[in-house]
Amino acid sequence: MLFLRAQPRLQQPFKQYARRAYATAELSNGVKIAYDLHEPPKEAPQGNAPVVFLHGLFGSKKNNRSMSKVLARDLKRPVYAIDLRNHGDSSHHQRHDYTALAEDIEHFLGQEKMTDSTLIGHSMGAKTAMTVALRQRVPIASLISVDNAPIDAALKSDFAKYVRAMRRIEQAHVKRQADADAILAEYEDELPIRQFLLTNLYRAEDGTQKWRIPIKYLANALDNMADFPFKDPDEVRYAGPTLFVRGTKSHYVADEMLPTIGRFFPNFKLADVESGHWVISEEPEYFRKAVVEFLQEQE
């Protein structure tokens, strides 16, 4: 196990952004998965291994758009930013647990004929990516988990609080996002987190603000999101290159969890980023550097 610490570095202005294409894949299990494909620069070699980017609870592919562009450029790889089921523009389904989420990604990788992809997941997306790796139903080249660990651990109480706020907003039939934000502010002080949650709103035909995500399904799934489908690291493990990126101000990957991580993922490295749980948005340059260095080592 090697410990990495991302160091600050002045980043050149972003240029030569990748082209983006929006698409929807109808999986053989009936679920429709929306995704953005961020293509590498035209001069990049063709056929480079793709990156598949999975967001967290209440998020969407939009959250990872800027980072996907940068990684496509820096790694010269195509980056697929996915909307997981019950999020963004993907299908709604009453079943929402890590096995179901992993099955969706397995179907997606199979249909797109990806056999050497890198999975990057944050929070819920991290446990989804870990589940895919440990199930070994489809081959992946490497794994990057962002601020989550392969253990059963209670979610922060904030998530249940957000559900209550969302229900209040829905019941209030607000017509302006500012009014929705005023209600949400009673539950969450941090403006960036409120803005993140409010990206799930859209204006319905009657002029009211509606949630794009199925609040009922996700509220019922909060316990599932705290769970992890594998309990015994002596029974299953993923030996491929693995990077765990954790926020040092977050509790989701505490030091006492590292031995368990090492048993499930014996070839893992650790990158500490001075941030909270929202590592990618709080410290994008630290995150970018840790990911790029890790993946370039695999080339």
Side-chain angles (χ1 to χ4, degrees), residues 12 15 27 31 45 61 78 94 126 129 134 142 153 168 189 193 195-196 201 203 205 210 237 243-244 248 261 285 296:
Q12 295 299 317
K15 58 185 179 180
L27 306 181
V31 175
K61 61 183 181 299
Q94 63 183 3
L134 292 172
S142 55
R168 268 195 60 196
D189 293 332
I193 295 178
Q195 291 174 331
F196 159 75
L201 282 175
R203 185 178 297 279
E205 291 183 2
K210 302 287 188 184
R237 63 189 57 182
L243 176 67
F244 277 77
T248 56
I261 291 173
E285 172 58 10
Q296 287 180 341

Side-chain angles (χ1 to χ4, degrees), residues 149-170:
I151 61 171
D152 297 346
L155 295 178
K156 290 175 62 179
S157 60
D158 292 348
F159 288 99
K161 180 175 65 175
Y162 298 154
V163 167
R164 293 195 298 272
M166 289 175 175
R167 283 176 166 159
R168 268 195 60 196
I169 291 168
E170 202 167 52

Side-chain angles (χ1 to χ4, degrees), residues 37-282:
L37 169 57
H38 300 271
E39 297 179 349
K42 291 181 179 180
E43 66 274 13
Q46 298 300 305
N48 282 358
V51 173
V52 178
F53 214 147
L54 310 178
H55 60 79
L57 185 61
F58 303 141
S60 74
K61 61 183 181 299
K62 292 180 181 178
N63 305 133
N64 297 321
R65 183 171 292 168
S66 295
M67 187 56 64
S68 294
K69 294 177 181 178
V70 173
L71 292 179
R73 181 201 66 191
D74 290 356
L75 296 169
K76 297 181 174 56
R77 301 189 189 186
V79 178
Y80 292 78
I82 305 289
D83 276 339
L84 292 166
R85 65 165 62 189
N86 293 320
H87 290 77
D89 298 315
S90 290
S91 292
H92 294 179
H93 197 287
Q94 63 183 3
R95 183 182 175 192
H96 195 89
D97 56 52
Y98 287 117
T99 299
L101 292 166
E103 287 173 349
D104 291 345
I105 298 304
E106 289 164 359
H107 282 291
F108 178 78
L109 295 177
Q111 288 182 201
E112 297 296 321
K113 296 181 172 55
M114 297 185 198
T115 59
D116 56 356
S117 60
T118 293
L119 299 186
I120 302 178
H122 171 251
S123 195
M124 176 184 75
K127 278 191 171 180
T128 300
M130 285 185 268
T131 302
V132 172
L134 292 172
R135 279 164 56 88
Q136 299 183 29
R137 305 293 177 87
V138 294
I140 63 171
S142 55
L143 170 69
I144 299 175
S145 171
V146 187
D147 212 55
N148 217 336
I151 61 171
D152 297 346
L155 295 178
K156 290 175 62 179
S157 60
D158 292 348
F159 288 99
K161 180 175 65 175
Y162 298 154
V163 167
R164 293 195 298 272
M166 289 175 175
R167 283 176 166 159
R168 268 195 60 196
I169 291 168
E170 202 167 52
Q171 293 163 0
H173 303 292
V174 299
K175 293 191 174 182
R176 300 186 309 149
Q177 195 169 101
D179 296 330
D181 182 57
I183 294 173
L184 189 56
E186 298 177 27
Y187 298 81
E188 174 55 60
D189 293 332
E190 296 290 334
L191 177 60
I193 295 178
R194 297 204 308 272
Q195 291 174 331
F196 159 75
L197 294 169
L198 292 171
T199 60
N200 289 295
L201 282 175
Y202 73 97
R203 185 178 297 279
E205 291 183 2
D206 63 0
T208 61
Q209 297 286 329
K210 302 287 188 184
W211 293 106
R212 185 174 284 107
I213 53 178
I215 302 301
K216 180 179 179 181
Y217 293 164
L218 293 179
N220 292 338
L222 290 181
D223 287 343
N224 293 337
M225 296 296 93
D227 198 5
F228 190 67
F230 296 100
K231 313 302 179 186
D232 187 353
D234 291 329
E235 292 183 354
V236 60
R237 63 189 57 182
Y238 171 72
T242 303
L243 176 67
F244 277 77
V245 183
R246 67 173 175 176
T248 56
K249 300 175 185 177
S250 172
H251 74 282
Y252 282 103
V253 189
D255 286 345
E256 56 267 26
M257 301 173 188
L258 297 180
T260 300
I261 291 173
R263 291 172 67 194
F264 275 119
F265 303 98
N267 192 22
F268 91 96
K269 298 179 180 180
L270 181 68
D272 282 344
V273 176
E274 191 173 347
S275 73
H277 181 58
W278 312 97
V279 179
I280 301 171
S281 59
E282 291 180 46

